[in-house]
Structure formats: structure tokens, C-alpha cells
């Protein structure tokens, strides 16, 4: 029975695991020491909220903190901030940690170890990337750096132009946040269209919306270098042969698993560099090491591949599963269907399952359909346009994926599709689904049902 | 092979069946005569849109018509308005119809007959119910009568007070529409709380919202009589011992299947008076008679009972299934999970599956949980409150039903629950569902996931 649990990383996975295990142990009258080491200044925060903090929608960092260190300590957790894990001794069952404040190094013994080390922003390997003002956005401390840098520019009257490198979720959200500070924003992306988690035909709708907001979007554009001023701060981005002036640069190229410590310990890593675990979130081949959140790979239940899907909702679930298992219960995390949702200006963007690119890469034969519809009955005054794209597998008829781009009320409809994917429904079955209908909420044929109908017809056509 | 198809009733089921069958036959180069008889003035309209037409949100009746008679005729359908089916001769394969305009009676032979006769508003059996100004709302012609009556009152300066009898969907929607005309509205309901399709604890939230709109809601109040003025028009409602002045009365007691013709023909009817069919929507025991929409009963996939669920979305699906089958294809309608959604002022209201009352009546043992959450991350400026109530079956752990009441963005989340019910998911499985998360759309634990978690915990507690 676990008597001491050491957790590396104090965000979603780590603190959920710690809290859940402690709660269960306490309920059963069992002693459980829980030590959490976190190298930053905060625990239990919403990294996904950072763009809204930068934009000013959220007043301060405190609002993004779900539970403070003091609250966790009051619950009996030994939380050590600004403390980095520097090594793991699997044989001895010890973690080596170093305090950033005192420089003190010590070893902490564990019965079970939980790795919730998260992810780090991808940095392009080009000259100047280490310049001041080239900023990644992953932790709350990163967010504070962005805000401080912007305030510094504003004080000096130099907050004029920003370049965002990468047009994925974080890039698009940060681009919008920067426009809210009055900066002229350019987004530079290697891909055909921004929001590369969608197919390009759907990404084109996002592109148009960004341009309507006044954002300069440059696609198929590689970054060649970051150019510095005399003080060593970024002053421009060389990209696609042009020189784009930039008082600040935000990196939105996505993140990669923070697994250097795990690699040093010879723990098993997947293709993306994320840790591999079983369904209970125990690291493969290890009895007493657990991992979850942005530092692991998860099973994609549609393609059956292991993939890296860094998202707060998964990280929280992983933490709860680990905490349940370490608290004496039994829980599993079966996998994901790659649901994701985002917003740019008033455009809502969602996906679940496979895109065409995913389906081709993994060798599925599929039909694809598009539906142009409205979020409510077409005759209602608040009817908003929405586009649905759906993929279904030839032969089996199974739904493979859905992408939605539209206005208010469009995106969360992806959830019905995510549950359908989870249950491996065919598009024909889906045509009968009892989705909520009333004029303020949907046309009498919900756009999701129309997509299922059209996909069923397309399957019939190819099988003739 | 069907050569002549006669359809009785030209709304959702009838016209969808007619159009779908004709389209398929034409595609295959086959002759198919389609005759539709409709006793009203309109076909293919959205009855659900009537409250929004009365309120003024929708400008005119034309907006509610999905396809006009002329369009249907251009597609080769023989549509006869103001023509009522007065008898069916199953042995001869003939329908007797009478034109309301010419009074002419004739018989039309069919190979296959489709009954889409819809439903009629329930009228309380109390004195005065036939008075002028006591109005049901079911067809577009009914909607026109309400609007004409209101305009008549307004011209005479007598549009001051309305009473709505019944606090279900149509009652609540019509109450709001009448307040938009400046009338003081009283809703009278026999039940403990309005919106009897929810449990009373959730209905109480609707009650409060209606009162905030200035609607006088009188629950546990039976209607005893309608009192008339000297001209025979309604002037008051006697209800619960009080006399409520009323310049107009709207009936919102729900509808019952319009199956008098079917009953005359000895076709099989269920407990609610709705026609019984197989999964292909063929009337039980009949080779060549089909039925769908508000005049049939459907299988509740949760309770396995046959129930009457009059909703445009089902009626359209039934029509499409019948048309596919009569057009040479194969299609079925498996049943419903009783999803429904409505809106009162800015309050969104949804249900799927069984309420506590349903579960008790059908003998399920269940746990029930409530979740108070928000539609977005709590720290976002547009976060709105929402309440989720969920039921799960003891033993099996299966989800039985969900009710949601909340503000903007709350109600359509019921769809994810409806798909989960459709797939007979357990609440434990549901805790892992990959629902869309980003701060503008959900807390990191979506309220639906929290409900699943709490229900799982509740099941564990009762099984200890």
C-alpha cells in the first residue's frame, strides 16, 4: 500500500492526482504522505486561460488558479514551489529535487511517483530564437512574462507590431489577444491555411475571419530568423524572404512533451516523445511510476494510434484516474477522439475524430461531405451560419470525423459527434439520433443529422 | 411495386414521405403517382415556429413554410389543399376525400397509403371551452387565428389580459409571445410546477424565470370554466376558485394524436391513441398503410415503452423513412430518447431520457445527482450558470436521463447526453468522454462530465 506519493509537476494532472488520492485515503482512514514539487510559482492553474488573461478578458492570474497552494496545503498536501526534479532513481525509489531559491538539493523517497511534467513550447531552430521578446506561452509564469513584456513596450511607446509564429489554437488565440492591446499582428504559418488541426478547406474560413479582424495572415511562410536590436531584443522576423517588424514575437507552434527527466531515466517514450502508459496511467513496464497530462501519449480511439494531445481536460482526467488508483480504487482512461474547440473573434471552430489528412495518413478509405446550414431554424432572427464537414469510412459506414466552423452556438455541437465516435456509430445510425430540436436551437434537421444523411447517401453512391 | 401513393396530411411526415418517394422513383426512372390531401391551407410548415410568429420574431407565415404547394407541384406531386380524407376502404384500397371548397366527395385508389394526420390540441372538458377566443395552437391556420384574434382585440383596445391554460412547451412559449404583445399573462397549470416534462425541482427554475418576465404563474390550479361575454367571446377563466379576466385564452395542454379516421378504419392504436407501426413505419398488421409524425406512437429506447412524442424532428424523420421505403429503398426509425428543448426568455431548458417521475413509473431503481456549474470556464466574462440533473440506474450504472436548465449555451449540451443514452452508456464510461473544452465553451470539467462523475460516485455509495 502506498504510504508516500511524490508528484512532479503541480498543474492539472499532478494536483488532481494528489488531491484525489489524499481524499480517498483520508476517507478510508489511511495515512498517505503526498509531496508535490513544482518548479514554477503556481499550481492548479488553467494554462488554456492565458490568452484571455493577456487579452484582458480575465482580470488577473489569480482568476486562472483553480486552487491555491494554501488551499492544497490545508488539505494536507506538502506542496513545494520553485522546486525542480533533477533526477529519478528507480531502483532506490527516490527523486532528486533542487530548490531554485536555496539551491539546496535533496532526495525524496517514494512508494509511487507521478509525473505531470507537462509540455514546453516548440521553438524554431533558427537564429535569434533566444532573443528577448520571443515568447512561448505554456505556464502561468510564461503568461506573466508576456504581459510584463507588453507593459514594458507600452511604457516605452513601442507596442506597435507583433508577429505570431504558428497559426494553431494558441497562435490564433494569442493573435487575437495581441490585437486587443492595439498591436498590428502578423501570423506566419508554414501550412496552407491556419488552424492546421482542421483540413485546409475549413482552415480557409478561419483565415478569412482573422483577416476581417485586421490580422495579416501569411501562409506557406517559413521563419528564417529573428532579427535583434542593439539591446538584444527582437525587432523583426525574417520570414518567407520578407522582413516583418516585430516589437514582440509569440510562439504558437504547439508544444512538445516535457520528458527530458523521463528520458534520462530510460522511461519508455513514444514517437512524439511523450511517455507511454497503460490504461490506468501507469508508465509502461513500471510498477510504481505513473504519468499523465501533456507529457504522455494517449490512444486515439478512431485511428488506434498513440498520439500527443496536450489539453487541460485530458490532463485533469488523467490526474483523477491516477489519484483514484493510488487512493485504493480502480480507474482507467480509455483514450481520446481528438475533440478540440477554439474561437477567433466570433467564429467558433471545432473538430473531433480524423481530418482528411489524418484519414489519408492512417490509410482509411472514406467519403467526405459538407453541409451549409444554420445554428437555429433558418427563419429565426438569431440564425447564424455554420459549416459541417464529416468523414465516414467506406465499407463499414462508421463515422470517422467531423469539423465545424460557424457562429454563436455552432462549436459545442461537436460533442454529439464526439460521443457518436466514442461509440463507433455508423453515419446511417446517426441519421436517427434524437438531437434536441426547437426553433431557437436548430433547424428541424439539425446540421449534424444532415451531415449524417449526406454521408449515408455518399456511401450508398460509392458502393453502387 | 407502388404506382400510386396517397398521402393524408401535408405537413412534415406527409410531404417528406411524398418528396422522398417521388425523388427516389424518378432517379430510378420509375413512374410514381403521388397524391397528397391536406385539409388546411398550407403544407410543409413549421408548427413549432408558430409562437415566434405570434411574438413577432418571425415576420409572417411564409417564413415558416419550408416548401410551397407550387414547389411541390413543380416536383410532380398532386397536392390538394382544403381537402379532407373522410374514410378509408382498406379492402378496396381507396380513400374517400371531400373538398371543403366545392363539397365534392370522391374516392382515390392507392397502392400505398400514408397517414400523416398529425395531432390536435387537448381541450379541457369544462363549460365554455368552445367560446370564441379560446384558441389552440397546432396548425398554421390555428396560428393565423390567434394573430387575427389579437389584432381584433388590439383594434378595439381590448388586448389587455391573456390566460394560458397549461404550462408545457407550447404554453410557456405562447405566454412569452403574448407578453410581447403587451398583454398581462397568467399561466394556469394543474401540476406542481410548469414545464411538466421536467421534474418539479427543475421546473421551479422555469417558474422563477416566468415570474421575472412578469408572468403570473398559478400552479396546482384546475380550470373550472370559461366565462363568456354577451357576444359569446371569452371574458374570464374560472380556475382554482378564482376568476381570471381574459381577453384571449390560449390552450397549452399539449396535443393528442389525430386518429379519428384511423380509429374508424379499425387500425391499431396504442394507449395514447396514436397509431402503432413497425420500425419501417408501416402500420402494424397492414401491408400497404404507413404512418408517422404526431399521429403515431414511437418506442422510447430507454424505458422500452411506446409513447406519444409529437415533435417536428421525429415527424420529418418518419416521412423520410416512409418515403425511402416506398421509393424502393430500406429505412427504419429505431425510436426516441425523448430529447426536448425549449426557451423561456433567456432561460434554456432541455431534457433527454427519463425524469424521476418517468423512472419511478416504469420501475427503475436509480440514483440522482445535481450539478451547479457554468457554461464556460468560470473565469470567463460570458460565464453563465447552468444546472444539470442526471439519473443513473442502480446495478447496471446506465445513464437514464438528464435535465438541463441554464443560460446561453446550456441547452444544446443535452445532445451529448442524448447520444450517450442512445448508445446505452454507463455514467462511469461517460466520465471519460472527450467533450470539447476551451475556456469560452466549458469549464475544464464540462458540467455533463461532472454529472457523470457525481452519478458514478453516487452509484458506488449505494452499492457499498
Amino acid at each position: 500500500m502506498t504510504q508516500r506519493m511524490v508528484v512532479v509537476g503541480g498543474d492539472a494532472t499532478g494536483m488532481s492526482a494528489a488531491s484525489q488520492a489524499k481524499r480517498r485515503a483520508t476517507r478510508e482512514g489511511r495515512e498517505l504522505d503526498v509531496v508535490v514539487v513544482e518548479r514554477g510559482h503556481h499550481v492548479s492553474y488553467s494554462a488554456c486561460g492565458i490568452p484571455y488573461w493577456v487579452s484582458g478578458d480575465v482580470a488577473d492570474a489569480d482568476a486562472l488558479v483553480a486552487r491555491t497552494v494554501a488551499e492544497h496545503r490545508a488539505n494536507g498536501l506538502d506542496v513545494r514551489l520553485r522546486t525542480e526534479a533533477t533526477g529519478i532513481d528507480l531502483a532506490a525509489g527516490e527523486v532528486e529535487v533542487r530548490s531554485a531559491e536555496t539551491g539546496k538539493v535533496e532526495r525524496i523517497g517514494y512508494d509511487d511517483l507521478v509525473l505531470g511534467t507537462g509540455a514546453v513550447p516548440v521553438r524554431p531552430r533558427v537564429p535569434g530564437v533566444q532573443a528577448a521578446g520571443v515568447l512561448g506561452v505554456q505556464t502561468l509564469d510564461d503568461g506573466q512574462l508576456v504581459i510584463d513584456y507588453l507593459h514594458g513596450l507600452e511604457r516605452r511607446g513601442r507596442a506597435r507590431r507583433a508577429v505570431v509564429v504558428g497559426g494553431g489554437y494558441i497562435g490564433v488565440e494569442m493573435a487575437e489577444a495581441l490585437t486587443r492591446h492595439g498591436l498590428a499582428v502578423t501570423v506566419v504559418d508554414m501550412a496552407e491555411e491556419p488552424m492546421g488541426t482542421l483540413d485546409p478547406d475549413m482552415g480557409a474560413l478561419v483565415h478569412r475571419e482573422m483577416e476581417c479582424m485586421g490580422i495579416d495572415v501569411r501562409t506557406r511562410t517559413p521563419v528564417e530568423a529573428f532579427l535583434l536590436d542593439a539591446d538584444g531584443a527582437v525587432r523583426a522576423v525574417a520570414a518567407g524572404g520578407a522582413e516583418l517588424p516585430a516589437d514582440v514575437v509569440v510562439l504558437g507552434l504547439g508544444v512538445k512533451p516535457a520528458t527530458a527527466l523521463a528520458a534520462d531515466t530510460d522511461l519508455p517514450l513514444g514517437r512524439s516523445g511523450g511517455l507511454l502508459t497503460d490504461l490506468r496511467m501507469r508508465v509502461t513496464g513500471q510498477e510504481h511510476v505513473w504519468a499523465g497530462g501533456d507529457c504522455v501519449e494517449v490512444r486515439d480511439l478512431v485511428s488506434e494510434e498513440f498520439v500527443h494531445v496536450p489539453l487541460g481536460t485530458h490532463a485533469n482526467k488523467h490526474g483523477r484516474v491516477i489519484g483514484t488508483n493510488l487512493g485504493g480504487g480502480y480507474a482507467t482512461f480509455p483514450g481520446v477522439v481528438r475533440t478540440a474547440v477554439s474561437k477567433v473573434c466570433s467564429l467558433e471552430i471545432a473538430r473531433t475524430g480524423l481530418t482528411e489528412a489524418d484519414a489519408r495518413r492512417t490509410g482509411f478509405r472514406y467519403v467526405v461531405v459538407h453541409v451549409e446550414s444554420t445554428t437555429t431554424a433558418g427563419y429565426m432572427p438569431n440564425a447564424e451560419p455554420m459549416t459541417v464537414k464529416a468523414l465516414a469510412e467506406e465499407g463499414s459506414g462508421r463515422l470517422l470525423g467531423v469539423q465545424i466552423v460557424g457562429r454563436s452556438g455552432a462549436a459545442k455541437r461537436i460533442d454529439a459527434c464526439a460521443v457518436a465516435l466514442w461509440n463507433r456509430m455508423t453515419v446511417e445510425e446517426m441519421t436517427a439520433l434524437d438531437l434536441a430540436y426547437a426553433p431557437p436551437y436548430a433547424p428541424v434537421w439539425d446540421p449534424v443529422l444532415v451531415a449524417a444523411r449526406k454521408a449515408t447517401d455518399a456511401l450508398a453512391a460509392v458502393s453502387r
Side-chain angles (χ1 to χ4, degrees), chain A:
Chain A
M1 190 63 81
T2 306
Q3 290 175 333
R4 181 184 277 161
M5 165 180 173
V6 174
V7 177
V8 180
D11 199 12
T13 294
M15 296 317 302
S16 294
S19 302
Q20 178 74 2
K22 185 76 180 178
R23 193 179 310 126
R24 290 185 74 104
T26 305
R27 196 171 66 201
E28 291 168 16
R30 190 158 57 77
E31 287 288 321
L32 175 67
D33 266 5
V34 183
V35 181
V36 180
V37 296
E38 161 58 44
R39 66 178 174 181
H41 294 79
H42 305 276
V43 296
S44 294
Y45 57 87
S46 167
C48 333
I50 294 171
Y52 307 96
W53 173 32
V54 174
S55 75
D57 274 339
V58 173
D60 54 44
D62 290 349
L64 299 183
V65 174
R67 200 173 287 171
T68 63
V69 172
E71 289 170 308
H72 283 299
R73 286 178 180 152
N75 289 334
L77 306 182
D78 176 0
V79 182
R80 307 184 189 178
L81 294 183
R82 307 214 54 216
T83 302
E84 185 162 18
T86 49
I88 302 169
D89 183 339
L90 293 173
E94 291 179 346
V95 184
E96 184 188 82
V97 304
R98 188 182 60 220
S99 162
E101 267 159 26
T102 65
K104 190 179 140 200
V105 174
E106 64 174 314
R107 287 178 152 240
I108 311 173
Y110 63 76
D111 296 309
D112 279 278
L113 175 66
V114 178
L115 299 176
T117 47
V120 289
V122 172
R123 297 184 85 89
R125 292 167 187 243
V126 298
V129 68
Q130 299 302 335
V134 178
L135 304 169
V137 185
Q138 177 63 12
T139 64
L140 217 49
D141 290 327
D142 292 341
Q144 190 66 60
L145 278 179
V146 172
I147 286 174
D148 291 347
Y149 201 86
L150 286 174
H151 287 170
L153 291 174
E154 283 161 2
R155 271 194 306 275
R156 288 176 286 134
R158 276 194 50 202
R160 290 180 305 253
R161 282 173 298 231
V163 171
V164 174
V165 180
Y169 292 102
I170 195 79
V172 166
E173 288 165 6
M174 285 301 297
E176 182 171 352
L178 292 165
T179 65
R180 300 274 295 277
H181 280 265
L183 282 86
V185 179
T186 302
V187 174
V188 175
D189 200 305
M190 290 278 283
E192 186 181 338
E193 292 292 353
M195 202 54 79
T197 47
L198 304 182
D199 284 321
D201 55 344
M202 301 295 275
L205 304 174
V206 180
H207 188 153
R208 200 179 310 153
E209 181 75 3
M210 292 170 74
E211 290 185 336
C212 287
M213 292 176 67
I215 297 171
D216 179 9
V217 182
R218 305 200 174 197
T219 53
R220 303 177 195 267
T221 303
V223 168
E224 288 114 17
F226 298 97
L227 311 178
L228 314 193
D229 66 13
D231 301 327
V234 70
R235 65 166 179 82
V237 179
E243 189 177 309
L244 307 170
D247 302 309
V248 61
V249 171
V250 170
L251 299 175
L253 292 167
V255 296
K256 58 185 179 189
T259 46
L261 180 66
D264 289 347
T265 318
D266 289 331
L267 294 174
L269 304 181
R271 280 194 309 179
S272 70
L275 277 156
L276 297 176
T277 74
D278 66 13
L279 290 190
R280 293 183 75 188
M281 304 311 293
R282 199 191 313 243
V283 172
T284 305
Q286 296 292 321
E287 183 98 13
H288 296 292
V289 187
W290 308 72
D294 292 2
C295 68
V296 303
E297 292 191 353
V298 290
R299 184 181 287 276
D300 176 339
L301 297 171
V302 183
S303 71
E304 301 291 349
E305 293 180 318
F306 278 85
V307 291
H308 183 230
V309 184
L311 259 183
T313 182
H314 302 326
N316 271 283
K317 285 175 188 147
H318 293 166
R320 188 164 180 274
V321 165
I322 294 169
T324 301
N325 288 319
L326 288 180
Y330 183 91
T332 61
F333 181 84
V336 303
V337 293
R338 305 183 73 162
T339 311
V341 64
S342 187
K343 196 168 198 168
V344 47
C345 197
S346 69
L347 197 69
E348 301 193 353
I349 303 151
R351 68 162 277 177
T352 191
L354 308 184
T355 60
E356 283 199 78
D358 297 330
R360 274 194 301 267
R361 193 176 37 73
T362 42
F364 282 97
R365 291 177 60 219
Y366 61 89
V367 296
V368 55
V369 295
H370 290 82
V371 174
E372 299 291 340
S373 185
T374 48
T375 53
T376 71
Y379 52 77
M380 292 295 283
N382 62 333
E384 298 276 6
M386 65 179 281
T387 304
V388 181
K389 176 174 181 174
L391 275 66
E393 188 182 24
E394 285 185 24
S396 76
R398 175 185 167 206
L399 180 72
L400 290 178
V402 178
Q403 297 163 61
I404 295 175
V405 175
R407 304 279 161 187
S408 182
K412 254 299 200 178
R413 296 166 122 94
I414 205 74
D415 284 351
C417 305
V419 182
L421 274 176
W422 190 275
N423 289 287
R424 304 177 77 89
M425 290 185 81
T426 66
V427 285
E428 189 188 8
E429 277 179 275
M430 287 178 68
T431 62
L433 278 174
D434 191 357
L435 303 184
Y437 164 63
Y441 298 104
V444 71
W445 284 100
D446 190 282
V448 167
L449 296 177
V450 178
R453 256 172 48 183
K454 285 187 78 168
T456 304
D457 290 346
L459 289 167
V462 297
S463 72
R464 258 188 214 118

